[in-house]
Amino acid sequence: MPDRRKFLKRAGYTTLSALLTMGFLQKDKQKEDHSTNTLAANYTSTNGNSPLRQLAAAKGKRYGAAIDGEFLQIEKDYANLLARECSIVTPNGELKWNATEPQPGKFTFESADAIANFCQKHNMELHGHTLFWYTGNPPWVPYPPTLQMIERHLTGVMGHYRNSPVLKSWDVANEIIADNENETDNATYGLRKGVKPELIRDLFKIAASVDSSKKFCINEFGIEGATWKSDRFLKMVEYLKNSGVKIDEAGIQSHLWFSTAYAFDEKGFNSVLKRLNDLGVKPRISELDIIIDTPLPDSIKKLDQMVADSYKRYLDLCFAADVDTVITWGITDRHTWIRHPDWMPAKFKNNPSMQPFLRPLPLDTNLQPKLARNAIAQAFQ
Ligand code: XIL
């Protein structure tokens, strides 16, 4: 995960790339559409308060969220909410390298196992996030790690969950594409500096040699449209497929920063979804949260409406392309990562009066449903 400086660039990059590739700078016909129906839709559905996991399952899909092991232990209402709404969860940090192998060859699974036990108790799947990332590593792990470190890590961590009844999929690689062409030494695939495509190929091969019974995913942000990054990401996926490695799914993180004009590159996003399906790599929405920030609307009520509209329009596109897994990065604004001081975008950090507008998730800080939850429910229906 980038430090704040990089994160702000990233947020800026994401916003900038989103604005540029979503036609923000042109008069957007959708803006009129959007503004005309903005306050109309309240997304009340016939099954208004049915669990999202149930609405999803009725269509052969899954809804889930990032789960935080610490709050799971101390907040009963939070635990009950996740059990009610989610059929799959992704640990916020408990399966990252710094949590599972803090010292070379010394594995610690207590926090991850607590989540796995919770999943087993409530008939939920656990998505393994993540075996390889450029951050979230202990100090002794460089980026890229050596193949020997990768082999030992995957043998230890994947081995521990080989027979798990709840863990069915791994993010084998997370955020391997650089943010832009200045941060890569590989023009074709745009990998972060110091990483060759062969290393990623070998990473997936090692994963398959340890446990090929799970789904293997490659997870990325900033690919929700026709961008420099999505072009390199798709080329990298194609390279991996052509290298004969097992790769089943592609996680489109979907941390969406929308301007209030809501200009969205539907064509570009559809092309990413189609290209992945053509490559035989199933797209999954892996870390969805939606922030409206440029400029802020003049009321929380209006903000919630815009966020809900964005959820509905984004998920309609996803489901039209047969996406069947949607995971929001958290389920309640109480624990969204974006309110954490380390990750809060500068404009909110510098203007505390704006912070109440950080409402990216389906339920509010009191675990009450928001319009966004209704919109997600309706999208599933
Ligand atoms: C974030 C967590 O939500 C934070 O709590 C943690 O401090 C840093 O990582 N992309 C990813 C996730 O793949 O693992 C990141 O999660 C958010 C961005």
Side-chain angles (χ1 to χ4, degrees):
M1 194 57 215
D3 61 30
R4 243 169 57 76
R5 206 175 40 262
K6 274 193 185 171
F7 173 78
L8 300 181
K9 186 171 67 173
R10 162 177 169 180
Y13 170 80
T14 308
T15 305
L16 175 63
S17 70
L19 299 184
L20 291 174
T21 51
M22 295 170 192
F24 173 74
L25 302 179
Q26 300 126 29
K27 185 113 186 72
D28 187 301
K29 79 164 185 49
Q30 287 159 331
K31 184 170 179 176
E32 278 69 49
D33 305 351
H34 183 56
S35 54
T36 46
N37 66 26
T38 292
L39 294 174
N42 57 18
Y43 303 108
T44 47
S45 59
T46 42
N47 306 306
N49 200 24
S50 299
L52 292 174
R53 67 182 290 177
Q54 185 181 309
L55 297 175
K59 302 287 183 178
K61 300 181 188 301
R62 295 176 302 181
Y63 167 75
I67 185 171
D68 188 300
E70 181 195 344
F71 299 122
L72 187 68
Q73 300 306 326
I74 58 179
E75 296 180 5
K76 207 78 207 93
D77 57 349
Y78 172 73
N80 293 338
L81 173 69
L82 285 164
R84 176 183 194 276
E85 298 280 22
C86 301
S87 48
I88 182 171
V89 287
T90 302
N92 197 50
E94 293 77 0
L95 279 174
K96 291 172 179 173
W97 200 317
N98 54 10
T100 56
E101 192 186 0
Q103 297 301 330
K106 299 270 177 295
F107 294 95
T108 52
F109 298 110
E110 290 76 15
S111 57
D113 282 350
I115 293 175
N117 295 336
F118 177 79
C119 289
Q120 196 158 353
K121 187 174 170 200
H122 298 287
N123 188 25
M124 302 157 86
E125 248 191 78
L126 175 60
H127 176 64
H129 174 78
T130 175
L131 296 168
F132 179 94
W133 195 22
Y134 73 97
T135 185
N137 300 312
W140 62 272
V141 176
Y143 188 79
T146 65
L147 274 180
Q148 184 259 345
M149 290 175 184
I150 291 171
E151 180 116 41
R152 177 174 54 192
H153 186 64
L154 269 58
T155 302
V157 178
M158 296 178 78
H160 184 75
Y161 290 103
R162 179 182 289 108
N163 301 320
S164 165
V166 295
L167 192 148
K168 308 283 180 59
S169 55
W170 283 108
D171 279 341
V172 175
N174 188 39
E175 302 187 353
I176 61 173
I177 308 296
D179 286 354
N180 57 62
E181 55 273 39
N182 305 323
E183 304 198 14
T184 179
D185 41 26
N186 178 309
T188 308
Y189 299 116
L191 293 169
R192 292 180 187 276
K193 281 203 168 105
V195 181
K196 291 192 178 3
E198 291 79 3
L199 179 76
I200 306 298
R201 175 201 62 197
D202 295 346
L203 166 69
F204 275 87
K205 285 185 172 177
I206 292 167
S209 70
V210 176
D211 180 5
S212 60
S213 71
K214 313 294 185 190
K215 294 275 185 215
F216 287 176
C217 308
I218 182 169
N219 195 46
E220 190 60 75
F221 75 91
I223 58 172
E224 302 80 11
T227 63
W228 175 88
K229 193 165 190 178
S230 63
D231 174 66
R232 271 57 182 191
F233 177 75
L234 290 165
K235 285 193 174 95
M236 191 57 205
V237 171
E238 186 173 32
Y239 162 81
L240 290 168
K241 290 300 277 187
N242 292 341
S243 303
V245 307
K246 170 184 159 69
I247 176 167
D248 304 293
E249 300 188 359
I252 303 174
Q253 288 188 14
S254 311
H255 291 295
L256 303 179
W257 272 258
F258 284 136
S259 69
T260 44
Y262 192 90
F264 182 54
D265 175 16
E266 293 198 14
K267 187 165 169 291
F269 182 54
N270 279 329
S271 70
V272 169
L273 293 169
K274 181 178 182 324
R275 189 94 181 80
L276 288 169
N277 279 316
D278 292 349
L279 286 166
V281 176
K282 191 176 184 52
R284 65 198 299 274
I285 304 306
S286 56
E287 303 187 12
L288 179 57
D289 49 16
I290 295 185
I291 291 176
I292 303 284
D293 68 353
T294 322
L296 279 182
D298 50 17
S299 72
I300 294 287
K301 181 171 169 31
K302 192 154 182 217
L303 174 93
D304 281 355
Q305 183 70 58
M306 288 177 172
V307 168
D309 290 349
S310 304
Y311 268 108
K312 180 69 170 59
R313 290 170 72 173
Y314 191 72
L315 291 179
D316 284 351
L317 292 171
C318 295
F319 295 154
D322 293 331
V323 167
D324 64 17
T325 299
V326 174
I327 294 177
T328 50
W329 202 242
I331 193 166
T332 161
D333 295 337
R334 183 192 294 176
H335 298 316
T336 173
W337 70 304
I338 212 70
R339 284 189 176 196
H340 190 284
D342 290 357
W343 316 116
M344 188 185 289
K347 71 165 55 176
F348 292 91
K349 206 162 169 81
N350 300 337
N351 303 290
S353 63
M354 288 171 64
Q355 290 170 21
F357 283 81
L358 284 171
R359 295 166 61 86
L361 292 170
L363 289 97
D364 69 16
T365 54
N366 298 317
L367 309 193
Q368 295 308 305
K370 293 157 56 185
L371 280 178
R373 186 194 180 283
N374 298 0
I376 294 169
Q378 195 162 82
F380 275 116
Q381 285 173 298

